[in-house]
Amino acid sequence: VQLQASGGGLVQTGDSLRLSCTASGRTFSHYKLAWFRQVPGKERDFVGAVSRRGGTTSYADSVKGRFTISRDNTKSTVYLQMNSLKREDTAVYYCAADRTNTVYLFTGVNDYTDWGQGTQVTVSS
């Protein structure tokens, strides 16, 4: 599946932002989806994941309670609602898809086979 992320931008501390990731293809609902983020010189880190139907989610501790991942299978789109943004949330955000036939929501980069191009989120104080 081909993924295209959008919605990044420059915001201030405490602001909200919603990222979107739209997929091509007719099998969007077959994929578990996730968001990762990366800052220069560091590894790509897990942010959150959502199950095929959207009923189950998982989050990194650093974003739990502030970020919400959701999906709309009718629009082949996954979202990341980010509230109460902090400077340390500044990163390039990537969406990713997992084709495996398991209910487990993986958190590792190597568990995801398809990636979007990334969208920059910058949080200034």
Side-chain angles (χ1 to χ4, degrees):
V1 65
Q2 290 186 328
L3 303 169
Q4 174 124 16
S6 62
L10 174 63
V11 296
Q12 294 187 331
T13 303
D15 283 352
S16 297
L17 199 63
R18 188 176 81 159
L19 305 182
S20 300
C21 177
T22 301
S24 61
R26 294 175 289 181
T27 60
F28 181 76
S29 62
H30 293 185
Y31 294 83
K32 295 173 286 179
L33 299 162
W35 287 95
F36 287 76
R37 65 187 182 186
Q38 187 171 25
V39 298
K42 295 192 175 182
E43 295 182 349
R44 192 169 295 187
D45 292 330
F46 173 78
V47 174
V50 61
S51 60
R52 293 181 185 83
R53 295 185 180 181
T56 303
T57 56
S58 174
Y59 298 97
D61 288 342
S62 59
V63 306
K64 203 171 292 184
R66 299 188 298 122
F67 290 11
T68 303
I69 187 171
S70 62
R71 65 191 293 166
D72 186 340
N73 286 346
T74 66
K75 297 181 179 179
S76 297
T77 301
V78 60
Y79 303 99
L80 184 67
Q81 177 66 45
M82 304 184 293
N83 298 330
S84 302
L85 282 162
K86 305 175 181 180
R87 288 189 64 185
E88 51 264 42
D89 295 319
T90 295
V92 177
Y93 283 72
Y94 297 89
C95 53
D98 167 24
R99 311 174 189 174
T100 60
N101 189 24
T102 171
V103 299
Y104 185 75
L105 296 179
F106 295 109
T107 62
V109 170
N110 293 333
D111 295 314
Y112 290 83
T113 53
D114 302 298
W115 291 85
Q117 85 286 5
T119 184
Q120 176 72 46
V121 173
T122 303
V123 184
S124 65
S125 58

